Amino acid sequence: MRDISLHLLDIVQNSVEARATLIIVKLIIAPSKKRFYMVVRDNGCGIEHSRLENLTDPFYTSRNTRNVGMGLSLLNASVKRSFGKLRLYSAKSRGTIVTASFSFKSIDLPPLGDIRATILSLITLNPHIDFKIILKSKTCSYTLDTRYIKEILQNVEINNPIVIDFLRQKLETDLKNFEEEYKMMTLEELERIREEALERVQLRKEKTGTRIVVGMATCGISAGARPVLEAIMDEVSKRGLTDVIVAQTGCIGLCKYEPIVEVTRPGENKVTYIKMDPEKARKMIAEHIVNGHAIKEWTIESIQL
């Protein structure tokens, strides 16, 4: 899994290659929204509107040095895994804005990574570019503007070893609270996810309602059991049938009658449905599960074994 600092490095590198002279980076922890935002804005050459929709395609790039552009594609994939959004805005000759949001509620939220080293590298390896770094969180409000630093340094380069050492120490001190808060938000959400998962497991153990079991062995899957299972789960969810447990099992032993669905209601004998399809599955939920009337012509009892 790529971390935030590596995604940041990729996106800023795009700005560098777009000949930007000013790059603004914002990293924001929003506790109330349970979200983390990464925004990179530059004043580079910009991108034509017709090309924007291709930028998250891993096989698309505007560069001549290589055939595949992975930076935005990898970021987009990471954002999607984290229940977030990626927004791109660009105008020719005016610059580009990349905004990525990540949810702390996602177990796939990437770690922050070595954000200090990344920021230091960006500044010192691109001394001809001005950077404005903004970090905001509940406990941190931090801004580092290299234009101000360069103004004070005057004829001393910002990538001078003494200056680099100063910046390293400053970043280590100033970013500590931000990094700790990111970790705490992540840990809190992981604990919440854990408790929610345990609660669901306990509810499943305590439930004594209707049980629907779909045969999902190779014979069942090849006969079409997967769409049957999906239809059942969808119908149960739509109807809010919280006392219904949907499960799957291996081969039931009646391969030629697959897909097979077994229904067990409290206080009633098990009913085995055969040769099911998604449409039948939905009707079974309505008639048998909701109204309590088994559809006998679809059951194993309706045929001569």
Side-chain angles (χ1 to χ4, degrees), residues 206-226:
E206 294 174 355
K207 278 183 178 179
T208 57
T210 299
R211 184 176 179 84
I212 303 173
V213 179
V214 181
M216 291 292 287
T218 304
C219 52
I221 292 173
S222 62
R226 192 175 300 281

Side-chain angles (χ1 to χ4, degrees), residues 26-69:
K26 293 182 181 180
L27 302 177
I28 303 168
I29 297 173
S32 60
K33 296 181 179 180
K34 302 289 186 183
R35 288 198 168 267
F36 174 78
Y37 298 91
M38 181 182 80
V39 183
V40 178
R41 180 173 186 169
D42 68 54
N43 64 348
C45 61
I47 303 165
E48 295 174 357
H49 187 268
S50 60
R51 289 170 47 206
L52 280 176
E53 61 183 21
N54 296 318
L55 292 183
T56 55
D57 182 346
F59 300 104
Y60 176 84
T61 181
S62 60
R63 304 174 191 171
N64 296 320
T65 53
R66 57 189 171 104
N67 295 324
V68 180

Side-chain angles (χ1 to χ4, degrees), residues 46-98:
I47 303 165
E48 295 174 357
H49 187 268
S50 60
R51 289 170 47 206
L52 280 176
E53 61 183 21
N54 296 318
L55 292 183
T56 55
D57 182 346
F59 300 104
Y60 176 84
T61 181
S62 60
R63 304 174 191 171
N64 296 320
T65 53
R66 57 189 171 104
N67 295 324
V68 180
M70 296 295 290
L72 279 168
S73 175
L74 290 170
L75 176 60
N76 189 44
S78 184
V79 161
K80 286 182 177 179
R81 285 195 301 270
S82 305
F83 310 142
K85 291 183 179 179
L86 178 64
R87 292 188 176 91
L88 304 174
Y89 170 81
S90 189
K92 194 70 174 175
S93 303
R94 293 179 61 184
T96 301
I97 304 173
V98 178

Side-chain angles (χ1 to χ4, degrees), residues 223-250:
R226 192 175 300 281
V228 170
L229 175 63
E230 290 172 353
I232 291 171
M233 293 179 68
D234 181 57
E235 200 67 23
V236 167
S237 176
K238 283 181 179 178
R239 292 175 178 270
L241 304 176
T242 57
D243 61 338
V244 174
I245 298 174
V246 181
Q248 51 185 294
T249 188

Side-chain angles (χ1 to χ4, degrees), residues 1-14 36 38 58 63 66 68-82 100 102 106-115 118 122 182 186:
M1 178 189 294
R2 293 174 69 83
D3 57 46
I4 297 294
S5 67
L6 292 177
H7 286 308
L8 177 61
L9 201 60
D10 278 343
I11 304 308
V12 171
Q13 186 58 35
N14 289 341
F36 174 78
M38 181 182 80
R63 304 174 191 171
R66 57 189 171 104
V68 180
M70 296 295 290
L72 279 168
S73 175
L74 290 170
L75 176 60
N76 189 44
S78 184
V79 161
K80 286 182 177 179
R81 285 195 301 270
S82 305
F102 303 81
S106 171
I107 198 168
D108 290 317
L109 176 73
L112 192 60
D114 195 343
I115 205 72
T118 298
L122 292 173
Y182 187 94
T186 306

Side-chain angles (χ1 to χ4, degrees), residues 1 17 26 37 45-46 57 67 75 87 101 132 164 189-190 193 195 198 204 217 242 245 249 255 272 274:
M1 178 189 294
E17 296 190 10
K26 293 182 181 180
Y37 298 91
C45 61
D57 182 346
N67 295 324
L75 176 60
R87 292 188 176 91
S101 68
K132 186 174 183 180
I164 292 175
E189 285 305 314
L190 283 175
I193 291 169
E195 290 176 358
L198 288 174
R204 287 179 67 89
T242 57
I245 298 174
T249 188
C255 301
T272 301
I274 60 173

